[in-house]
Amino acid sequence: MPGTHPLRRLALRRSLQAAELDALLVTDLLNVRYLTGFTGSNAALLVAADGDGESVFCTDGRYDTQSRQQVPDLRRVIDRRCDLALAAAAAEAGYARLGFESHRVTVDGHTALAGTAPKVELVRAPGMVEALRMVKDDTEVEALRMACAAADRALADLIAHGGLRQGRTEREVARELEERMLDHGASGPSFDSIVAAGANSAVPHHRPTDAVLRRGDFVKLDFGALVDGYHSDMTRTVVLGEPADWQREVYQLVATAQATGRAALRPGAGVREVDAAAREVIDKAGHGEEFVHGLGHGVGLEIHEAPTLSKLGDGKLAAGMAVTVEPGVYLPGRGGVRIEDTLVVRDDKPELLTLTTKELVVV
Amino acid sequence: MPGTHPLRRLALRRSLQAAELDALLVTDLLNVRYLTGFTGSNAALLVAADGDGESVFCTDGRYDTQSRQQVPDLRRVIDRRCDLALAAAAAEAGYARLGFESHRVTVDGHTALAGTAPKVELVRAPGMVEALRMVKDDTEVEALRMACAAADRALADLIAHGGLRQGRTEREVARELEERMLDHGASGPSFDSIVAAGANSAVPHHRPTDAVLRRGDFVKLDFGALVDGYHSDMTRTVVLGEPADWQREVYQLVATAQATGRAALRPGAGVREVDAAAREVIDKAGHGEEFVHGLGHGVGLEIHEAPTLSKLGDGKLAAGMAVTVEPGVYLPGRGGVRIEDTLVVRDDKPELLTLTTKELVVV
């Protein structure tokens, strides 16, 4: 039985055949990683519609040994300009129609490709690998599960060891959270952590400052861990000390909207419908203007990838897609709440990967 | 007197006038940051040849408040697709020739621009801002100085506190080094730190593993700090315990080559000459085949930027350029040495920003 990467290349070959392409020149490094397992910083891949026997992997001399180990099953070329080396290989193979990643290849890069392979028709083929990447296979879900677990454990440790006490700065909390994710197996944070206290919690993408945590504050923590190249994404909002009535109300509203959004995740659901289901809850409570972003996004080798769950999104969910659900209500000058999980769409009900409680935590 | 960013835009306008462009559409986010100070994750800038009065900055709604503070001196547009919004602004202004960053704009992005502004001639203008960025102004050198100081201090602390002791893993050392850089004001490491012990030190871009530091090992540490968006870059190689004769010899050779390379840094020197000066030292000692990379690279808002000091580099140095000088000799299976500084080219002699000793440190 073929391994993970050959199976992914097989799926891509079916797309190539449907698009009547002889091959695809994959230059996006994450797409190369997805299709081969190669983790270096310079590579490209020529995937032939005919089969792996005709496909060619390229990297430069720094990665000769590494690529021999990680990509043992494909013909390898060593070159600094992999895009051009593989365009030349495509010309040599006599391909008539070569797809290229027109959403990634630059205008100057395209000119260089055309100069290298003047007899090959370069066909725009944007997003072919990304379309496959939307649906995660078991290996990917396992990496996401580990990344989500590292984040869950880091937050649990942070709270258990008094990391969210009054007088600490947002920056100190962010740093401790990130260090604790490393303790739990993360290779790093999956993005710059957001720690936002008090009025700062009303800023959706606040960056941690030297602002101090005070009694009565909302503290919003939006963070994630990176494991095997896969990103987790989670937001929790806690209160320091006894919550005020308005805090309980806003929290309950966002929690209800978030549960509604999660419940709407099923194969075949339109991404706009899912966004609308959660948004309606907040709209009806009169806070629609204060939910200023989309409901969620796909997550995997990138922290933000397809699909987009928003008013502007497009398409339907399918089983195996990994997405976030993260409504928020932000009251300028007072504070805001966002609650976010990472989940996998399943035939019955979505699989929750971020397991930290969504009850209002009072620290 | 105009501030830093208006002065940079003024310099760019001179380039635009020389290229007979009415304006440049700047979509590279680091170039936008360089020209405006804006640090958000979505923005573009239309720099008019005529002056700042005609220039337009764009970002999306998430950054409304932030951009008001960071970019108070330019007309602002709020839009999610800044490239298209500014192409429309260029069309509205009646520009005939609009430069675009053809080394960054994708093939699909270019099509969208042309569709938005069909009457404007889109002119390839690759690297115009990067050419200015090569020569650092005082604000930039100060940021680099702080970044280099954070790295120097982190290494000093690491050694002083016994961080390089036998039995620790490469991964543990890398993590401690990165945490100590944060203690000294870094917002993060400027790239994934390299810690390579024993035979691993012979791999130029080794990633830290669970390999353990042992007596007699070379330990190569290549790391840097990020301060205000500017990257420092430094490599030191130490020995655990008393060095063997071959280790002293290789170390001395690389140190001599590195000093020779530094001495060759002067305004007007060709980048290939500088590379050749250091390389000759290693060649003459019979180790030319084991110096498998270029001598150095520019450093600033990116960890690797122009100019490139190598056999394949192009152009001459100028006062104010910030570069690394980092020769290495790698003996497969035994160990390797690299010594790297970050420096600024000056009229008299280069200014050294990484101040840690280059004597062979025996831990």
Side-chain angles (χ1 to χ4, degrees), chain B residues 327-345:
Chain B
V329 168
Y330 311 95
L331 307 175
R334 301 180 74 190
V337 173
R338 181 165 65 245
I339 303 172
E340 174 186 27
D341 284 313
T342 297
L343 309 99
V344 179
V345 179

Side-chain angles (χ1 to χ4, degrees), chain A residues 189-211:
Chain A
S190 62
F191 56 92
D192 290 340
S193 306
I194 295 172
V195 175
N200 288 342
S201 62
V203 180
H205 284 85
H206 177 74
R207 297 291 309 275
T209 66
D210 290 327

Side-chain angles (χ1 to χ4, degrees), chain A:
Chain A
M1 202 183 117
T4 304
H5 301 108
L7 276 176
R8 294 176 189 167
R9 296 194 294 267
L10 180 63
L12 178 59
R13 281 205 294 280
R14 293 202 182 111
S15 312
L16 295 181
Q17 288 156 7
E20 299 185 343
L21 294 171
D22 294 315
L24 181 69
L25 175 59
V26 183
T27 48
D28 178 274
L29 206 54
L30 289 178
N31 287 344
V32 173
R33 177 175 183 160
Y34 176 76
L35 294 168
T36 64
F38 179 72
T39 55
S41 69
N42 181 24
L45 178 68
L46 184 68
V47 178
D50 276 356
D52 266 357
E54 313 300 315
S55 298
V56 190
F57 171 85
C58 175
T59 184
D60 67 55
R62 291 174 298 167
Y63 297 110
D64 191 355
T65 309
Q66 177 178 333
S67 63
R68 212 181 284 273
Q69 293 164 353
Q70 293 184 324
V71 194
D73 50 350
L74 289 176
R75 183 148 69 92
R76 286 183 323 124
V77 169
I78 298 293
D79 200 297
R80 281 193 79 84
R81 273 299 294 266
C82 283
D83 56 341
L84 303 186
L86 294 185
E92 214 165 286
Y95 295 145
R97 284 169 51 84
L98 174 64
F100 73 99
E101 298 186 291
S102 52
H103 61 311
R104 294 284 179 252
V105 172
T106 67
V107 170
D108 289 348
H110 178 259
T111 301
L113 289 177
T116 301
K119 290 182 182 164
V120 178
E121 183 189 354
L122 296 172
V123 182
R124 293 179 188 221
M128 288 187 90
V129 184
E130 286 85 349
L132 301 176
R133 279 171 45 192
M134 279 200 284
V135 172
K136 270 65 184 175
D137 59 34
D138 291 349
T139 311
E140 297 183 283
V141 172
E142 187 50 34
L144 284 170
R145 211 175 266 134
M146 290 192 296
C148 289
D152 277 329
R153 289 170 187 163
L155 180 56
D157 285 358
L158 179 81
I159 293 175
H161 291 87
L164 287 178
R165 60 184 179 272
Q166 297 175 45
R168 291 195 101 191
T169 67
E170 293 170 343
R171 235 189 276 266
E172 287 166 352
V173 172
R175 183 169 165 186
E176 181 177 343
L177 197 52
E178 294 181 358
E179 288 176 5
R180 290 190 180 278
M181 288 195 285
L182 298 181
D183 289 337
H184 288 292
S187 60
S190 62
F191 56 92
D192 290 340
S193 306
I194 295 172
V195 175
N200 288 342
S201 62
V203 180
H205 284 85
H206 177 74
R207 297 291 309 275
T209 66
D210 290 327
V212 162
L213 277 57
R214 295 182 198 284
R215 193 175 167 77
D217 276 358
F218 268 137
V219 182
K220 185 181 69 188
L221 307 120
D222 185 350
F223 64 105
L226 190 62
V227 172
D228 288 348
Y230 284 78
H231 299 71
S232 78
D233 197 354
M234 171 164 86
T235 309
R236 290 294 183 271
T237 308
V238 303
V239 178
L240 288 197
E242 200 51 36
D245 287 347
W246 72 270
Q247 288 177 314
R248 286 192 189 280
E249 270 167 42
V250 174
Y251 192 91
Q252 194 49 54
L253 174 63
V254 175
T256 304
Q258 207 259 354
T260 307
R262 281 187 284 125
L265 294 178
R266 49 185 173 65
V271 295
R272 295 186 202 193
E273 285 174 54
V274 177
D275 177 87
R279 195 170 297 279
E280 194 187 1
V281 174
I282 294 175
D283 278 346
K284 280 194 172 161
H287 286 290
E289 294 289 304
E290 289 137 12
F291 175 19
V292 294
H293 52 72
L295 181 66
H297 53 84
V299 63
L301 286 170
E302 291 174 280
I303 181 65
H304 294 119
E305 54 181 52
T308 299
L309 309 186
S310 85
K311 288 181 203 173
L312 305 168
D314 214 11
K316 291 181 190 307
L317 295 179
M321 288 184 176
V323 298
T324 69
V325 173
E326 49 176 311
V329 169
Y330 311 95
L331 307 175
R334 302 180 74 190
V337 173
R338 180 164 65 244
I339 303 173
E340 174 185 27
D341 284 314
T342 298
L343 309 100
V344 179
V345 179
R346 298 293 189 197
D347 283 326
D348 42 357
K349 61 171 195 168
E351 180 183 349
L352 188 65
L353 300 187
T354 41
L355 301 177
T356 301
T357 182
K358 287 178 286 281
E359 297 292 310
L360 176 54
V361 172
V362 176
V363 182

